[in-house]
Amino acid sequence: MRTLHYLGPEGTFTHQAALEAADFLNPLAGGVALAAEHDVPAILHAVHENGDWGIIAWENNIEGYVVPNLDALIDADNAVGFARVGVDVSFDAFIRLPQGASSDQESIDKALAACTQVTAHPHGLAQCRRFTADHRLREVPSSSNGAACRDLIEGQVALGPGICGELYGLTRVGAAVEDYPGAHTEFVVIAPRDEVSELIPQAAARTERATADGGRVDDDEYESIIAFIPLNTGPGVLANLLDVLRDAGLNMTSFISRPIKGHDGTYSFIATFDAAPWQRHCRDALAEVAGHGDWVKTLAVYPRRERPNPPVDAWMLPNGGVHFDASGMPANWQDDGTVRKELLW
């Protein structure tokens, strides 16, 4: 039996992800018990000190990476991801009616009109700004969406999963109030580093599948998240790092940077690509980067899931910028006033 720690209280999206993760982790652990924690450092502490498992939010398709969790995993002494779980995210709006108040629609509307604040996790607040603006509410961040609902007081609106209404005795005043439908959050299940090679199926066997002449393993069934810190800075340093990954034939699907806190101009770079560190071409690339004297750390390795690869349509582009459609570039495009304004030349 293993304990899986998640960001509590009950009713968070992380709780939902933990329930889903427990279903497929049961065979690996002979049973999984869930434990709510008040913050992510407590989850990482349980993994590092107790040898337990944890689950943390990683990336949202509206707000992007959950940066504090990314930073925490970069700094963690003994924690690495070995599985990912996706949860569809939709926010309902809740209030707590005054004690003894009627639950008829007129009373509900009156109570909502008297609210001056909205509370949720910062990512939840960011995903529901239209609702906040429409009701002229002031944002009050909470440690989690579940905590926002659990601790809701009169005069506030809480944003959270639909299950929070019944769980905490709240009155729903809006359903699916997020700005953009189709929001989805990916979560990473983490374990002590020494365990992960055993938890990922056939990891050791795949190491031996590389051909004798250094050829590549013939599958891309895994995805890895690797952090790099070049110890030398200056022109070409990042390009040199990317050249190594390109020359290894790694299909990189994400690349972001994070500042090294308190040190101007220094960054860690986090790459996600379709390969596992024990595969020959990936291992050789990591060895080459480390051989240059740069810092390298595997943050997560998990079975790769099929993902869409849609084109970026013109209507999806931000305002401004320069883009030429399929008809091609006009001969005098460099002299066009709009182009000159957008490219600042």
Side-chain angles (χ1 to χ4, degrees), residues 32 39 65 81 90 140 144 157 159 175 179 196 242 268 295 333 340:
V32 174
D39 58 18
Y65 284 93
S90 182
V140 178
S144 72
V157 178
L159 307 172
D179 295 346
V196 168
L242 293 174
S268 58
W295 181 88
W333 70 272
R340 294 173 66 88

Side-chain angles (χ1 to χ4, degrees), residues 50 56 80 88 98 142 150 187 208 220 248 250 253 289 292 307:
N50 304 337
I56 57 175
V80 63
D88 291 330
S142 178
R150 179 198 62 191
F187 297 80
E208 304 303 324
D220 290 313
L250 296 170
T253 59
V289 174
H292 294 163
R307 55 178 175 267

Side-chain angles (χ1 to χ4, degrees), residues 127-301:
Q127 293 179 60
C128 302
R129 293 236 155 90
R130 187 179 301 117
F131 176 89
T132 297
D134 288 346
H135 292 84
R136 300 180 180 180
L137 301 170
R138 179 171 62 85
E139 294 183 353
V140 178
S142 178
S143 61
S144 72
N145 299 306
C149 292
R150 179 198 62 191
D151 302 333
L152 184 63
I153 60 175
E154 293 178 25
Q156 288 184 332
V157 178
L159 307 172
I163 60 173
C164 287
E166 182 176 354
L167 193 60
Y168 297 115
L170 306 178
T171 299
R172 182 181 286 102
V173 294
V177 300
E178 61 272 9
D179 295 346
Y180 302 98
H184 187 83
T185 296
E186 291 286 324
F187 297 80
V188 174
V189 183
I190 56 179
R193 301 188 76 87
D194 290 345
E195 279 192 56
V196 168
S197 60
E198 300 176 8
L199 291 170
I200 300 174
Q202 301 176 339
R206 290 185 182 279
T207 303
E208 304 303 324
R209 286 179 52 194
T211 59
D213 62 356
R216 300 175 187 172
V217 175
D218 59 359
D219 64 81
D220 290 313
E221 296 180 4
Y222 289 88
E223 188 170 273
S224 298
I225 304 173
I226 313 289
F228 304 92
I229 299 179
L231 269 66
N232 295 310
T233 60
V237 170
L238 181 56
N240 292 339
L241 169 62
L242 293 174
D243 282 346
V244 173
L245 303 181
R246 178 201 60 199
D247 293 345
L250 296 170
N251 179 39
M252 188 162 54
T253 59
S254 174
F255 190 78
I256 65 171
S257 66
R258 292 292 303 142
I260 298 176
K261 292 178 173 54
H263 300 279
D264 291 350
T266 59
Y267 299 89
S268 58
F269 299 94
I270 300 91
T272 303
F273 40 75
D274 292 337
W278 57 82
Q279 291 178 291
R280 180 65 62 85
H281 64 306
C282 183
R283 185 179 63 191
D284 289 349
L286 298 182
E288 182 175 350
V289 174
H292 294 163
D294 296 332
W295 181 88
V296 185
K297 183 178 186 180
T298 298
L299 304 183
V301 188

